[in-house]
Amino acid sequence: MSLDVAASRARGSLILGASGLLGRHLARALLDAQPEAAAPLRLQLRPSSDAAPLLALLEGIDSARYAIERYELDDAEALRAQFEGAPTVFLLAAAKRGRPEDMARATLGATTCVLDALAACSAPPRLLHVSSLAVYATAQCAPGSVVDEAAPIEPEPWKRDAYTHLKCAQEALVVHRARRDQLSVCIARPGILVGPDALGLPGRLALPLPAGFWLAPGLDLPLPMVHLRHAAQALAFIERAARFEGECFNLVDTPMLRGCEFVALLREAKRAPRLLPIRPVLMSRLGGLLQRLGRLRRGPLASFPTPYQARSAFTAFDYRSALPALGFSTSETLREALQRDLELQP
């Protein structure tokens, strides 16, 4: 579809990154919730993105109710023309492959262009930025601490990993520009996304080893997971119910599943890999030893969690969300949703 054709259509809300794992589920949730007479939902994809998974999820929905648009997020003036008249822009686009420095450049560069374009609009659309639970300063929290929207943000994200560093920088940029340019912004922080296309072992549960084994320090931990359908429904709810005055919302399913409970579901479906359990405290000590040896050799000995990373990810926390108090709920629990995905009997 050409940009001229897309621009001539009625202006509906716009999802940036609609071909991604969460983006395509969000498209379905928004279309399921909105009246058929509403303006077509606009779905932005990069020129090289595969639209097949998105179209498969939208099967059964009249194609006149949405418009697929292909363009990069690297030209603020062109984006301004795309954004004019849209009620809400959902920012889900991010670079997820390549070297950390390339991912940061692409993601932060695109986010800067998006913010520049919004600020230049005659009536800037609201921005719903999708961040991550990873931005919280959990390395400084005691075991069992409540991690809600009031928890502090990670002050040293470079000590964690490239993803945390990137999401913290992106969120800080969005908050700064929203204040400076008086943009209407809301931030959503999803937990670990699981669902029909995401049923592998998350990094907070296990780490891959050679020969098909996984080192599993997270078996006894409650995991801050959110099902893809539930996260998408939550974002659609936020668009309808939030004030867009800079508020933040965690996206996490409760009750949380422990790592061993998630693995038990995978085993029942014969989809669990071979696990080598390890206590988080032992892994932290081993990571500290490797870190010290690496400093002596002036180079890393192995890709292994440092004590700081172990504290932030492999400690039991009580993750909470303000969304239920706002009126959001799902019709199924996380366990029930996963049982359906894995074709298990409830």
Side-chain angles (χ1 to χ4, degrees):
M1 178 180 294
S2 70
L3 296 185
D4 291 338
V5 172
S8 68
R9 304 186 69 164
R11 293 296 192 176
S13 291
L14 174 60
I15 302 176
L16 303 179
S19 63
L21 190 62
L22 181 53
R24 54 184 182 258
H25 282 270
L26 173 59
R28 180 74 202 210
L30 289 171
L31 289 167
D32 284 342
Q34 74 179 24
E36 292 193 8
L41 178 67
R42 299 165 57 205
L43 310 173
Q44 179 270 340
L45 283 68
R46 296 183 187 276
S48 60
S49 295
D50 182 9
L54 170 63
L55 293 174
L57 203 58
L58 299 183
E59 186 176 358
I61 293 181
D62 184 355
S63 60
R65 296 183 58 204
Y66 60 87
I68 292 179
E69 308 173 0
R70 289 189 177 272
Y71 48 85
E72 298 284 0
L73 304 179
D74 58 358
D75 185 333
E77 179 54 33
L79 290 178
R80 183 201 61 76
Q82 293 293 336
F83 293 171
E84 286 283 7
T88 306
V89 171
F90 295 84
L91 178 56
L92 284 78
K96 297 182 179 179
R97 295 182 180 86
R99 298 182 304 169
E101 57 269 29
D102 294 333
M103 291 169 56
R105 189 179 304 112
T107 300
L108 296 178
T111 302
T112 299
C113 284
V114 168
L115 293 166
D116 286 344
L118 288 171
C121 287
S122 57
R126 304 180 305 172
L127 177 66
L128 207 172
H129 170 56
V130 178
S131 183
S132 169
L133 283 186
V135 302
Y136 288 116
T138 49
Q140 286 84 13
C141 295
S145 297
V146 171
V147 180
D148 59 14
E149 291 83 356
I153 300 300
E154 173 61 69
E156 300 176 300
W158 56 89
K159 289 186 177 181
R160 295 263 295 272
D161 52 62
Y163 177 77
T164 300
H165 198 176
L166 178 60
K167 297 308 289 185
C168 284
Q170 186 185 30
E171 187 173 310
L173 176 62
V174 168
V175 170
H176 168 71
R177 291 294 303 273
R179 290 172 178 167
R180 191 192 77 178
D181 299 326
Q182 298 183 319
L183 301 176
S184 297
V185 167
C186 188
I187 295 173
R189 295 170 178 153
I192 302 166
L193 294 169
V194 292
D197 304 316
L199 288 170
L201 297 182
R204 286 192 184 222
L205 195 162
L207 307 171
L209 294 173
F213 286 93
W214 290 71
L215 194 64
L219 288 174
D220 294 328
L221 301 178
L223 299 177
M225 293 178 168
V226 60
H227 195 276
L228 282 161
R229 288 191 295 270
H230 302 168
Q233 292 163 7
L235 292 174
F237 175 85
I238 289 171
E239 185 194 23
R240 299 191 302 270
R243 300 186 307 273
F244 282 78
E245 296 176 352
E247 65 268 46
C248 301
F249 296 102
N250 294 341
L251 309 186
V252 59
D253 275 318
T254 55
M256 290 188 287
L257 291 179
R258 301 182 81 81
C260 57
E261 294 176 304
F262 180 63
V263 170
L265 290 173
L266 295 180
R267 283 180 176 153
E268 188 177 350
K270 302 187 184 328
R271 298 183 62 163
R274 292 172 291 182
L275 300 178
L276 297 176
I278 182 174
R279 293 177 60 196
V281 64
L282 178 58
M283 190 181 65
S284 179
R285 290 172 182 170
L286 182 56
L289 176 61
L290 292 174
Q291 187 178 36
R292 288 192 294 273
L293 291 176
R295 288 170 180 165
L296 291 175
R297 293 188 52 178
R298 298 184 180 181
L301 290 179
S303 178
F304 201 82
T306 66
Y308 195 88
Q309 291 168 329
R311 289 198 305 274
S312 66
F314 302 112
T315 305
F317 299 117
D318 182 6
Y319 285 89
R320 298 183 187 176
S321 171
L323 277 178
L326 198 62
F328 175 74
S329 63
T330 59
S331 60
E332 60 186 356
T333 65
L334 174 60
R335 179 182 291 276
E336 291 168 340
L338 290 174
Q339 286 174 328
R340 188 202 312 179
D341 296 334
L342 293 167
E343 299 181 348
L344 300 174
Q345 292 296 325

